[in-house]
Amino acid sequence: QKEVEQNSGPLSVPEGAIASLNCTYSDRGSQSFFWYRQYSGKSPELIMFIYSNGDKEDGRFTAQLNKASQYVSLLIRDSQPSDSATYLCAVRGFKTIFGAGTRLFVKA
Amino acid sequence: GAVVSQHPSWVICKSGTSVKIECRSLDFQATTMFWYRQFPKQSLMLMATSNEGSKATYEQGVEKDKFLINHASLTLSTLTVTSAHPEDSSFYICSARVVGGLNNEQFFGPGTRLTVL
């Protein structure tokens, strides 16, 4: 079992729709959870972090964390073509582990 | 967010040569920096954790004698790929953790694309 699992996608959504990205992790001792966006050929860019159960909203982005289910998600509202990228989930316990990423395509 | 720079952004070298990549935190001090490698369409793979003033901690399977890491100051870490071979061609990315930040978040440098001929 991978330590951090993400659906590789691609996930395709129409412009203006909600994109839902999911991530599960295996280490129950994980403390902090991060979502990064990575455009092709570029390095990851931090979008959000969350460390308490529940939802955290920042603009069009909402991170959701459920530690009991070892699940973290990212919702992108009003998706734009510029949101098309690979989204990496990162989980930090003793060290930070990255998922393989989910490719998102937003169709204009 | 905090700014992390890397130099060079890309490098092409012949097999057998050594290549040094610099990672700098521009507006904060980073006691810990991380070096990742990313092959096409794959995720980031942590190579080593670089601690200022002490030896780096390498991940399993990463040759410490091949990938030399020096963290000489609170703002600079270097990765030297010694005797590079074509299979070392990859995207190398460093990141630095903001100590004392809200959640000790990590910020990434822009990456260095290494091509070994």
Side-chain angles (χ1 to χ4, degrees), chain A residues 18-79:
Chain A
I18 296 175
S20 178
L21 304 163
N22 304 315
C23 173
T24 58
Y25 60 95
S26 60
D27 182 4
R28 285 193 172 275
S30 300
Q31 299 293 319
S32 308
F33 307 85
F34 304 83
W35 282 100
Y36 289 86
R37 176 174 61 198
Q38 186 175 26
Y39 293 111
S40 181
K42 303 294 185 181
S43 67
E45 170 192 13
L46 180 66
I47 297 176
M48 291 190 69
F49 62 84
I50 186 169
Y51 52 89
S52 298
N53 277 327
D55 295 359
K56 179 181 179 182
E57 186 174 320
D58 183 0
R60 295 187 296 113
F61 300 97
T62 299
Q64 299 174 317
L65 174 62
N66 184 325
K67 289 186 178 181
S69 299
Q70 296 174 241
Y71 173 90
V72 59
S73 66
L74 179 70
L75 300 178
I76 306 175
R77 289 182 300 281
D78 188 23
S79 296

Side-chain angles (χ1 to χ4, degrees), chain A residues 32-34 36 38 41-44 46 49-51 88 92 95-96 98-101 103, chain B residues 36 38 41-44 46 59 91 93 97 102-111 113:
Chain A
S32 308
F33 307 85
F34 304 83
Y36 289 86
Q38 186 175 26
K42 303 294 185 181
S43 67
L46 180 66
F49 62 84
I50 186 169
Y51 52 89
L88 302 173
R92 179 179 300 159
K95 58 184 178 182
T96 302
F98 285 83
R103 286 185 296 147
Chain B
Y36 294 86
Q38 187 176 37
K41 300 192 186 301
Q42 296 186 24
S43 188
L44 299 168
L46 179 64
E59 294 300 303
F91 192 41
I93 310 173
R97 182 175 292 171
L102 184 61
N103 204 42
N104 289 342
E105 54 265 41
Q106 271 177 249
F107 293 92
F108 286 87
R113 189 162 301 281

Side-chain angles (χ1 to χ4, degrees), chain B residues 30-35 48-52 54-57 69-72 76-78:
Chain B
T31 55
T32 303
M33 291 184 175
F34 305 89
W35 286 97
T49 302
S50 169
N51 298 296
E52 187 267 338
S54 64
K55 291 183 179 180
T57 302
I69 292 174
N70 184 294
H71 195 149
L76 173 65
S77 176
T78 61

